[in-house]
Amino acid sequence: MKNEKSIVAVVAAISSFLTPFMSTALNLALPSIGTEFSADTILLSWLVTSFLLASSALLLPFGRIADIIGRKRILLNGLLIFGLSSLMGIFSGSINHLILLRILQGIGSAMIFGTAIAILTSVYPLNERGKALGINIATVYIGLSLGPFLGGILTHYFGWRSIFLFSGVTGIITYLIAKRFVLNEWCDAKGETFDYFGSITYIISLVFLVYGFITFTSGGSIFILASLLFGSIFIHREHKTENPILNIKLLTNNLAFSMSNLAALLNYGATYAVAFLISFYLQSLRGFSAQDAGLILLAQPLVQAIFSPITGKLSDKVEPRTLASLGMGITCIGLVLFSFIKLDTSIYQIILNLVLLGFGFALFSSPNTNAIMSSVERKFAGVASAMLATVRILGQMTSMAIITVLIAFYVGNNPISAEFSPLFLQGITASFKVSAILCLFGIFASLARKNIRNQK
């Protein structure tokens, strides 16, 4: 059992590394892809959008399917789909082909993130779970950290296709390890039926919602309204059906689960755009190169990767609610400090604040994940894992929508130049102020939940 726990931890860690690495590495390769395929900015943006739409919409259905037919089975299929679609990317002959493969990668990613954390929760008891989840979350941040660095090296020396080769080979190797050494299967909801109608309405609602966020400044609000309509149909359906894909009672009757997810939503909504804003500030307003800006921005995810296992292990002994709330408070302080950023702010001050944000997020994320996964019955582990991943994506989309609206409000259609730098700076500082307010609400959401220490 001990060996299996270690194997599961390794498989889950590599699986959780792949998606953030692929996403951040590919961002650096977009100019090269655009040049090779003569693709415009809109088509290139679909390399990101198509992945987000597929993964966000399918997370919850695959989490529910995993609870019914087996989490290892869904994870294996997810790794296989992700690995093969990545390898096929090497032979792409057009931008449309590459977009199709990114959709397949999104499907594989949904299967991975809908099960990896659930399997960890199934294998590790409550008193060891935080440490395992902390290590897993650290690998996500390592993927975020290595993506721009390793992606830049691969693209520069071997071309953008080498990113797909690296991700594909890693995915297939992980699949083979899991297939050979993970012997048990976990399907705590075995025998229950799958709600197809609920899944369809949910998928439509999420696709419209994510697409609405992405196109918010160009008429996307109509898709958000359509999403609310289908979301209402979905919730009504889930109240009526015997075996829903999302048990509404998890949200209405389980305060620890609902408030922990709300805290995660507010946290991601407040923090995801930090890298975008600071990158924009360093390159467009301060004249730093992309490489130098990337090195400065590494401070935050590196601190998160270092401290996440530590805070995760600590949450096995200290109530996760307390640690997560403290982490949210530290993050809020970091956002407030950034709201006073100026054109002559010291780079060392910016780095120190990124370190502060990284520590705050590490203190929040691992304990909060532990709280979510420990607040539900084992048969809902897949759904809980998928719900957390969905909340993360929605928070990220919310964060980008907020800053897009604020930057547009302050800057309008003016070009990025020294003449208009005060307007851009106003937009950036306003974005940090709104983010800090979101984080403040997140503190109250985190404190409002019940303790989980005495539950299971």
Side-chain angles (χ1 to χ4, degrees):
M1 183 65 179
K2 185 176 180 180
N3 289 337
E4 183 181 45
K5 286 198 295 186
S6 300
I7 292 294
V8 166
V10 170
V11 168
I14 300 174
S15 302
S16 299
F17 164 86
L18 280 172
T19 295
F21 168 81
M22 183 70 197
S23 297
T24 53
L26 191 64
N27 285 339
L28 241 66
L30 290 179
S32 299
I33 295 172
T35 300
E36 179 171 336
F37 292 134
S38 300
D40 58 27
T41 306
I42 294 176
L43 276 175
L44 288 174
S45 70
W46 272 101
L47 288 176
V48 178
T49 303
S50 59
F51 177 87
L52 284 173
L53 288 174
S55 59
S56 61
L58 294 173
L59 271 164
L60 193 55
F62 274 129
R64 174 61 179 161
I65 292 172
D67 286 339
I68 295 173
I69 71 172
R71 293 167 196 144
K72 184 183 80 170
R73 183 176 174 183
I74 295 299
L75 177 64
L76 286 174
N77 285 318
L79 286 167
L80 191 60
I81 291 171
F82 187 91
L84 291 178
S85 59
S86 298
L87 291 176
M88 290 169 65
I90 303 170
F91 308 102
S92 293
S94 69
I95 188 69
N96 291 328
H97 182 217
L98 208 53
I99 290 172
L100 176 61
L101 291 176
R102 286 291 283 162
I103 293 173
L104 290 176
Q105 281 188 327
I107 294 171
S109 176
M111 299 171 82
I112 291 169
F113 273 102
T115 53
I117 290 180
I119 290 176
L120 276 178
T121 304
S122 301
V123 170
Y124 283 87
L126 185 60
N127 63 336
E128 299 177 13
R129 193 172 296 163
K131 179 182 177 181
L133 291 173
I135 293 172
N136 184 265
I137 291 169
T139 61
V140 174
Y141 299 140
I142 291 172
L144 290 171
S145 304
L146 281 181
F149 175 72
L150 187 55
I153 292 176
L154 290 172
T155 302
H156 180 76
Y157 289 103
F158 306 105
W160 62 265
R161 296 173 194 269
S162 61
I163 295 175
F164 285 85
L165 176 63
F166 176 84
S167 298
V169 170
T170 305
I172 294 300
I173 290 175
T174 309
Y175 164 80
L176 294 174
I177 292 173
K179 188 174 178 63
R180 173 67 179 84
F181 295 105
V182 179
L183 303 178
N184 287 327
E185 180 58 282
W186 299 269
C187 43
D188 296 297
K190 186 176 182 180
E192 296 183 4
T193 57
F194 182 73
D195 180 14
Y196 290 97
F197 180 80
S199 296
I200 292 171
T201 55
Y202 175 82
I203 290 171
I204 293 173
S205 177
L206 257 291
V207 167
F208 281 172
L209 183 62
V210 173
Y211 187 74
F213 275 136
I214 293 170
T215 61
F216 189 80
T217 57
S218 55
S221 56
I222 188 68
F223 290 96
I224 295 178
L225 291 175
S227 169
L228 294 176
L229 174 62
F230 279 96
S232 299
I233 296 173
F234 168 71
I235 292 173
H236 178 74
R237 165 74 180 188
E238 299 309 278
H239 273 298
K240 299 293 183 181
T241 189
E242 184 178 351
N243 293 306
I245 64 168
L246 175 61
N247 191 322
I248 301 299
K249 290 180 180 179
L250 287 177
L251 297 174
T252 57
N253 296 351
N254 189 333
L255 193 63
F257 181 78
S258 58
M259 287 296 104
S260 296
N261 274 289
L262 177 58
L265 177 67
L266 292 169
N267 188 271
Y268 282 109
T271 60
Y272 181 71
V274 168
F276 177 87
L277 290 170
I278 297 300
S279 175
F280 185 93
Y281 166 84
L282 291 172
Q283 294 182 70
S284 299
L285 302 186
R286 297 287 295 267
F288 283 82
S289 67
Q291 180 179 353
D292 289 340
L295 287 173
I296 292 170
L297 286 168
L298 270 178
Q300 181 180 334
L302 280 177
V303 170
Q304 292 169 201
I306 292 169
F307 284 100
S308 288
I310 299 172
T311 59
K313 184 177 181 180
L314 189 61
S315 71
D316 288 329
K317 301 176 181 179
V318 180
E319 177 57 45
R321 168 179 175 266
T322 303
L323 294 173
S325 301
L326 178 61
M328 188 80 87
I330 293 172
T331 302
C332 188
I333 292 172
L335 293 171
V336 170
L337 291 175
F338 265 139
S339 71
F340 294 101
I341 196 169
K342 298 177 181 177
L343 290 176
D344 58 351
T345 298
S346 167
I347 295 302
Y348 297 107
Q349 184 178 336
I350 291 172
I351 293 173
L352 285 174
N353 205 21
L354 287 170
V355 168
L356 181 67
L357 281 174
F359 179 70
F361 199 68
L363 194 58
F364 168 81
S365 190
S366 295
N368 193 67
T369 301
N370 192 5
I372 289 174
M373 299 307 299
S374 299
S375 65
V376 299
E377 299 175 41
R378 283 173 58 114
K379 71 173 184 176
F380 295 126
V383 169
S385 175
M387 185 75 176
L388 176 60
T390 304
V391 161
R392 180 180 66 246
I393 293 176
L394 293 180
Q396 292 168 350
M397 292 298 99
T398 301
S399 184
M400 292 305 296
I402 289 171
I403 66 143
T404 299
V405 170
L406 287 171
I407 295 293
F409 174 78
Y410 282 95
V411 180
N413 296 320
N414 291 315
I416 302 174
S417 64
E419 180 184 358
F420 297 105
S421 59
L423 294 178
F424 280 98
L425 189 61
Q426 286 179 36
I428 290 172
T429 55
S431 298
F432 278 120
K433 289 174 183 175
V434 173
S435 296
I437 293 171
L438 273 181
C439 211
L440 183 63
F441 283 115
I443 297 174
F444 291 109
S446 182
L447 289 171
R449 57 185 151 181
K450 295 179 180 178
N451 293 346
I452 64 162
R453 186 57 51 206
N454 299 320
Q455 286 189 13
K456 301 192 269 292

